[in-house]
Amino acid sequence: MTTQTVEEYAVSGRDSGPYAITSGPDGALWFTMVHSGQIGRFVPGQEPTSHQLAPDSGPTVINSGPDGALWFTEYRAHRIGRVTTAGHMTEFALPTAQCGPFGIAAGPDGALWFTETAADRIGRLTTDGSVTEYPLPCTGAFPSAIAAAGDAMWFTMNKANAIGRIGMDGCITVHGLPTEAAAPVGVAVGPDGGVWFTEIAAGQIGRRAPDGRITEYPLPDRSARPHAVTTDADGTAWFTEWGGNRVGSITSDGKVTAHDLPTPASEPHGITVGPDGALWTALETGALARIGPTTNITTRNTEKENAS
């Protein structure tokens, strides 16, 4: 049995706020820094670098796009950003003012799909900058994370206690959750088409099976505040416990394993499978954590702030 270890790598000052993380097409980890308005890049064993946006732009979720660049939401600036692996930055204004974009993911149609938390809409952005917005069938839903399936996008509706599906034709279907006021946030689609989501207020992980059945799995620590979720090649879901200072995993049959983070109150948010096959999470206190088999990479504890 492989022993999982947790290693932390300081990538910014403690006030920069690493938030979301993804694997880039260049073999690096890319992450947002929500408080300092930066996009960071990190390769284990190398110095982290960053690209500066407007300090108050609030870059939030980041994912690889269909064009070899990284795309991210600017929650406070109400824009969508794009950065190439060489560091060239472009920003796209959105039609709806004060819409609060949060989740973003590449869709099966070659466009970027994103949520507008404050406008109750799902947005679609082509790589040349054309935006289409689709209104949700309810108000005050606070659509949050979004993820691609084979022919659609799935998203959480944090304040509507539901998950939603939007087809490539813009048709939206809403699926209510069994637990009241569960407040779903993170969402990921597994290789089998199952939709995993976190219930931050209920301390549960939910899964919608391909046949439509929704199952909720209570965590051992119901106050863990599960936030983001991703899936690995085996279909296991990995999630962050923002309130529990842990990273957890859950199999399709409901077996939960928890991994404590070494630094107290490190505030884990985003999570991704890294280029090395390990799980990586962004810690708002200024580091990235790796959960996986032991490596021979030296852990870096030196804080790096405003690297260029």
Side-chain angles (χ1 to χ4, degrees):
M1 182 176 177
T2 303
T3 300
Q4 302 290 309
T5 60
V6 181
E7 301 163 295
E8 288 187 6
Y9 302 85
V11 292
S12 73
R14 291 183 62 85
D15 297 330
S16 295
Y19 189 83
I21 185 171
T22 194
S23 289
D26 56 347
L29 292 156
W30 289 77
F31 57 98
T32 57
M33 288 177 270
V34 66
H35 299 316
S36 60
Q38 294 169 299
I39 304 298
R41 179 184 184 274
F42 179 63
V43 175
Q46 299 179 16
E47 295 294 320
T49 59
S50 65
H51 307 283
Q52 185 69 56
L53 301 160
D56 60 350
S57 57
T60 312
V61 175
I62 186 168
N63 267 308
S64 290
D67 56 350
L70 288 302
W71 292 76
F72 54 92
T73 52
E74 297 181 37
Y75 182 75
R76 297 189 191 117
H78 312 288
R79 292 188 294 258
I80 302 296
R82 175 186 184 270
V83 60
T84 67
T85 54
H88 178 70
M89 199 87 69
T90 312
E91 294 171 292
F92 299 89
L94 298 177
T96 301
Q98 306 297 306
C99 62
F102 180 81
I104 189 168
D109 59 346
L112 284 305
W113 292 76
F114 58 95
T115 60
E116 297 184 355
T117 59
D120 289 312
R121 299 180 183 187
I122 302 299
R124 179 184 183 271
L125 173 66
T126 63
T127 53
D128 62 3
S130 174
V131 179
T132 308
E133 295 173 316
Y134 301 94
L136 298 177
C138 54
T139 58
F142 207 82
S144 302
I146 191 166
D151 59 350
M153 307 297 291
W154 286 86
F155 56 94
T156 51
M157 301 166 70
N158 177 257
K159 293 184 179 177
N161 205 53
I163 58 173
R165 178 189 184 274
I166 182 167
M168 296 300 96
D169 58 357
C171 181
I172 295 173
T173 309
V174 174
H175 304 271
L177 302 182
T179 299
E180 292 185 13
V185 180
V187 67
V189 179
D192 64 349
V195 181
W196 291 92
F197 52 94
T198 61
E199 296 182 355
I200 195 168
Q204 299 182 144
I205 303 297
R207 181 179 184 268
R208 183 186 186 274
D211 64 5
R213 179 172 49 92
I214 292 177
T215 306
E216 296 171 315
Y217 301 96
L219 296 176
D221 177 6
R222 298 298 290 276
S223 65
R225 308 283 291 174
H227 176 77
V229 63
T230 191
T231 57
D232 64 19
D234 297 328
T236 297
W238 292 77
F239 55 92
T240 52
E241 295 187 15
W242 176 64
N245 205 50
R246 289 180 292 263
V247 168
S249 64
I250 182 170
T251 60
S252 57
D253 60 359
K255 180 184 177 184
V256 176
T257 306
H259 305 275
D260 291 322
L261 296 171
T263 301
S266 57
E267 297 190 57
H269 284 293
I271 190 168
T272 192
V273 177
D276 58 353
L279 276 297
W280 288 81
T281 183
L283 309 180
E284 195 169 338
T285 49
L288 304 182
R290 178 188 187 275
I291 301 92
T294 304
T295 68
N296 58 4
I297 299 168
T298 302
T299 302
R300 293 180 176 271
N301 295 314
T302 305
E303 287 191 356
K304 290 295 173 183
E305 193 165 11
N306 298 327
S308 59

